[in-house]
Amino acid sequence: MPPTPIATDPPLLSVRDLRVTFALDEGTVRAVDGTSFDVAPGQVVGIVGESGCGKSVTMRAVLQLVDRPGRIASGTILYRDSHGAEIDLTRLPPRGPRMRAIRGAEIALIPQEPMAAFSPVHTVGAQIIEAIRLHATQSGRPVSRAEARDTTIALFRDVGISIPEQRVDAYSWQLSGGLRQRAMIAMALSCRPRLLIADEPTTAIDVTTQAQVLELLRDLRAKYNTAIIFITHDLGVIAQMTSYVVVMYLGRVMEQGPVDQIFHNPQHPYTRALLRSIPSLYGETRTALPVIAGSLPHPFNRPAGCPFHPRCPDAMEVCATATPKLLPVADNQAAACFLHHAEAEA
Ligand code: SF4
């Protein structure tokens, strides 16, 4: 894979101190608790963590798709639009015209389960044609149905769907899992987004198709210079696909840095535990996150201090009462851990 930029260009997306809470009868859950990271144009960033670590909620916040009782409690999500203007997405009404125009046309999502994303009562082609025409109208350059259909067929060809002229008229339930995922990628790319969010894009498909889909996303990034955020629990996907990694645990960033540094010189005990437990990143064991001592605390029993301290082999007294800040540990690499910064108490 050609190297992707590491935050040398002005960021396309800059998330700062983002907090997302869910007010439930049992109490308030801090699903995202002060997350910060950048994505440069054309960069491929991986967000990795166990289920419930806040990675998908962070991305839903970027797309302004956090459903009630969730809400963005604080923080900023700065997006540099196609005209170079910096917009704080948290300030836009989620269903307003500006956010609707950004969602899909500039920032697109490949969801985990494409079956749920396509309506079963319309052909996949009709749904993509509709999306193309809607965004073309919103951007003041309307296109005819025939033009949008041609674009859809070309996209199907781009994403490796054979006999696209026929498949464009298929319903999602008539396609295999792999074809549905490819059609979903075609949908996500239909408006040439500048940022693609791929939420566990290979979870619902078999291993051979997984490899093909990853290859396809690599090619498309190279062809269109689309920035991609990969949300995954699969460190093998992170190693293959990304240039920069954000490691999340209980809604907080534990460590972030260039993929080579994170894999060869991890500085946070949680990152080390993840990596130590994988016998081979490229072998058949590349499936789910390995088992780490202890279990993820229930969201209502969030530990005080460092969220990882009940499972951390290096925990010290301070870790149970004070929360470490994310501070630099090497070039372009930061970790939230008192082992590196005794003064990191937040
Ligand atoms: Fe472990 Fe303490 Fe570092 Fe948290 S701050 S990861 S508990 S050593």
Side-chain angles (χ1 to χ4, degrees):
M1 173 181 187
T4 65
I6 299 176
T8 47
D9 301 325
L12 180 64
L13 186 79
S14 188
V15 175
R16 284 293 169 274
D17 208 19
L18 180 69
R19 286 167 210 274
V20 181
T21 56
F22 285 78
L24 306 174
D25 290 344
E26 300 91 326
T28 299
V29 172
R30 284 183 279 154
V32 180
D33 192 25
T35 292
S36 300
F37 63 92
D38 289 342
V39 182
Q43 189 181 21
V44 184
V45 171
I47 301 193
V48 68
E50 293 160 287
S51 298
C53 73
K55 54 193 192 300
S56 290
V57 178
T58 302
M59 288 308 114
R60 293 191 75 77
V62 169
L63 290 159
Q64 292 273 43
L65 290 173
V66 176
D67 295 324
R68 289 184 184 191
R71 70 180 188 98
I72 296 175
S74 62
T76 56
I77 301 171
L78 298 179
Y79 170 68
R80 193 174 297 276
D81 75 6
S82 46
H83 308 292
E86 202 169 60
I87 305 162
D88 182 357
L89 301 182
T90 66
R91 306 263 167 180
L92 298 181
R95 288 177 181 76
R98 187 74 185 99
M99 192 63 225
R100 283 212 315 262
I102 290 173
R103 200 189 295 127
E106 299 210 22
I107 307 177
L109 174 71
I110 303 174
Q112 263 183 49
E113 183 31 271
M115 189 68 172
F118 282 117
S119 160
V121 297
H122 301 286
T123 64
V124 289
Q127 292 171 70
I128 298 172
I129 289 165
E130 200 52 41
I132 292 172
R133 296 194 71 201
L134 179 70
H135 286 297
T137 304
Q138 281 171 346
S139 61
R141 294 185 298 272
V143 295
S144 69
R145 188 169 296 280
E147 283 173 292
R149 184 183 167 87
D150 288 346
T151 304
T152 303
I153 290 170
L155 274 167
F156 272 25
R157 200 169 286 123
D158 259 4
V159 300
I161 295 178
S162 58
I163 44 172
E165 299 81 0
Q166 290 175 28
R167 294 257 167 72
V168 76
D169 295 320
Y171 292 87
S172 57
W173 42 268
Q174 292 175 314
L175 300 176
S176 67
L179 282 175
R180 267 200 303 273
Q181 190 61 287
R182 285 169 195 268
M184 198 64 239
I185 294 171
M187 169 81 122
L189 291 173
S190 62
C191 301
R192 291 281 166 84
R194 301 166 71 232
L195 173 63
L196 199 57
I197 297 174
D199 187 358
E200 307 270 10
T202 56
T203 301
I205 47 184
D206 64 78
V207 176
T208 310
T209 315
Q210 277 179 20
Q212 291 169 353
V213 167
L214 293 180
E215 185 67 38
L216 170 65
L217 287 171
R218 260 199 297 265
D219 291 349
L220 293 170
R221 189 206 69 78
K223 186 169 173 186
Y224 299 119
N225 198 36
T226 310
I228 304 177
I229 300 177
F230 261 99
I231 305 172
T232 184
H233 58 262
D234 187 332
L235 284 162
V237 170
I238 293 282
Q240 286 178 63
M241 298 295 296
T242 70
S243 64
Y244 197 84
V245 192
V246 178
V247 181
M248 286 187 75
Y249 184 78
L250 278 188
R252 294 183 70 87
V253 175
M254 298 286 103
E255 183 164 10
Q256 57 178 269
V259 71
D260 286 348
Q261 281 170 230
I262 293 289
F263 274 75
H264 295 118
N265 195 18
Q267 296 295 313
H268 195 284
Y270 180 59
T271 316
R272 285 196 208 118
L274 292 184
L275 294 166
R276 243 196 326 263
S277 316
I278 313 177
S280 164
L281 284 174
Y282 301 98
E284 288 167 6
T285 51
R286 184 175 69 73
T287 49
L289 269 191
V291 177
I292 296 172
S295 53
L296 200 66
H298 189 279
F300 291 119
N301 288 327
R302 193 191 178 80
C306 170
F308 189 53
H309 88 262
R311 302 170 78 183
C312 180
D314 304 307
M316 303 167 282
E317 210 175 314
V318 62
C319 307
T321 53
T323 309
K325 285 183 198 163
L326 188 70
L327 292 173
V329 288
D331 205 15
N332 229 339
Q333 186 174 357
C337 178
F338 289 121
L339 290 175
H340 302 285
H341 296 281
E343 76 288 5
E345 191 171 333

